[in-house]
Amino acid sequence: MTDSLPIPLTSLSTAQKTALINLVRRTAKAEIMPRFRNLGHADISAKSSPYDLVTEADLAAEAMLARGIQGMFPHALVVGEEASSTDPELRGKIDEAELAFILDPVDGTWNFAHGLPLFGVILAATRFGKPVFGLLYDPVMDDWITADLETAAHLSRSMGAARPLSVSRGGDIDSLSGYVHLYLMPQEVQAQMASRLPDFARTLMLRCSCHEYRTLAQGGMDFALSSVPNPWDHAAGLLICQQAGGVARMLDGRDYNAGITEGHILTAPDEDTWNRLRNHFAFLLDD
């Protein structure tokens, strides 16, 4: 609850949001797109597993984004995915920071490294861990989805008016399509989870949180369940889905905070559908 926070939550100004969007677009043009389908083997390395990759594009883009944000907001905490992998203590500072910016410079790195045009840039601003601004940018199409505490989710392009977004209508379990990150879940629950997937109309994963949340916010899919609450993957997308009319919180009922390091995140189009999904996945709370 915001009542327990040291100061009231406020969003960024219009000028600040525009400056951040322009920074992300410049970074994509300078550091990401020139490297797409132009990476050599020496430009790609594994982190925690062969499926957890980092490329020269990730590192260069995060460096440019961090420099730009620090110039605009000198006193803000900047937490990038790649910086956090070398300095894990950074993540622990998010929920205490009056203003933090959380970055995933190339979300969907596996797709990017293998030449698949399904990747994006994620940027979130948080105050004491609560998301107050979210940006999901597609470098391939040069369009972006944004939302903040006062503004509904919109899809914008360089030309033309922004388009308001709305999540799906939800429904019964057997009518729902969603993203379930099965192979990122603890191994001991994967079989039980897999046995429940046929209950849905369709489940899949895109290996890219940016495009999963973009699709959810546009009503193309109904729900998402993730067991890895990394803030660079979720803080922006959760706020955007909420501001597109959806419900997003931890599976155990807690409000989301970017400082949370364990638990399951469930996003759904409305409260009734969220509760149905929560009951369907309640076995995950037994641990």
Side-chain angles (χ1 to χ4, degrees):
M1 298 291 290
T2 57
D3 293 345
S4 65
L5 297 176
I7 61 172
L9 294 184
T10 57
S11 297
L12 305 178
S13 71
T14 299
Q16 289 171 329
K17 291 183 287 188
T18 299
L20 289 168
I21 292 166
N22 289 338
L23 172 63
V24 168
R25 295 179 70 201
R26 290 198 306 272
T27 301
K29 291 173 183 175
E31 302 292 2
I32 298 174
M33 292 310 296
R35 291 180 167 92
F36 182 48
R37 296 180 177 166
N38 286 313
L39 296 171
H41 290 298
D43 300 322
I44 306 170
S45 57
K47 293 189 290 185
S48 61
S49 77
Y51 306 103
D52 183 17
L53 303 180
V54 61
T55 73
E56 288 299 310
D58 296 80
L59 299 171
E62 182 166 303
M64 182 172 173
L65 289 169
R67 285 194 305 269
I69 291 171
Q70 214 71 80
M72 286 186 268
F73 303 90
H75 303 295
L77 173 68
V78 179
V79 180
E81 178 183 11
E82 307 313 328
S84 296
S85 69
T86 57
D87 181 8
E89 292 185 3
L90 268 177
R91 182 173 178 175
K93 300 176 181 179
I94 292 173
D95 59 357
E96 298 178 354
E98 181 179 337
L99 178 62
F101 290 92
I102 305 170
L103 311 171
D104 194 336
V106 182
D107 180 64
T109 300
W110 190 93
N111 294 341
F112 180 85
H114 290 87
L116 302 176
L118 197 65
F119 55 89
V121 181
I122 302 178
L123 184 152
T126 63
R127 294 191 184 277
F128 303 103
K130 302 289 187 179
V132 297
F133 172 70
L135 167 64
L136 302 173
Y137 177 70
D138 180 356
V140 176
M141 298 304 296
D142 186 28
D143 62 22
W144 55 95
I145 295 176
T146 57
D148 63 25
L149 292 178
E150 287 83 33
T151 308
H154 282 77
L155 172 66
S156 302
R157 299 182 173 88
S158 57
M159 301 290 289
R163 177 167 63 88
L165 303 180
S166 179
V167 295
S168 76
R169 296 182 179 181
D172 295 328
I173 292 295
D174 61 359
S175 70
L176 300 177
S177 296
Y179 300 112
V180 178
H181 302 157
L182 176 64
Y183 295 107
L184 297 180
M185 293 181 175
Q187 203 164 29
E188 60 269 20
V189 303
Q190 287 183 14
Q192 191 172 1
M193 174 59 70
S195 71
R196 295 182 178 238
L197 299 186
D199 298 336
F200 297 98
R202 178 169 295 187
T203 60
L204 63 151
M205 59 184 294
L206 300 180
R207 302 184 70 102
C208 178
S209 294
C210 181
H211 280 283
E212 290 182 354
Y213 279 117
R214 281 172 61 104
T215 307
L216 287 165
Q218 296 178 81
M221 295 288 276
D222 300 303
F223 74 93
L225 176 71
S226 177
S227 298
V228 184
N230 290 330
W232 40 85
D233 289 326
H234 299 287
L238 280 171
L239 176 62
I240 284 170
C241 286
Q242 288 170 336
Q243 295 300 89
V247 177
R249 64 173 73 101
M250 305 304 294
L251 187 64
D252 61 11
R254 289 177 294 165
D255 288 338
Y256 174 78
N257 185 292
I260 292 174
T261 59
E262 294 183 352
H264 312 276
I265 299 173
L266 178 61
T267 305
D270 55 56
E271 196 71 43
D272 287 344
T273 305
W274 193 93
N275 285 323
R276 289 189 200 101
L277 288 162
R278 186 265 180 206
N279 292 337
H280 202 70
F281 297 131
F283 71 93
L284 292 171
L285 300 173
D286 292 343
D287 294 336

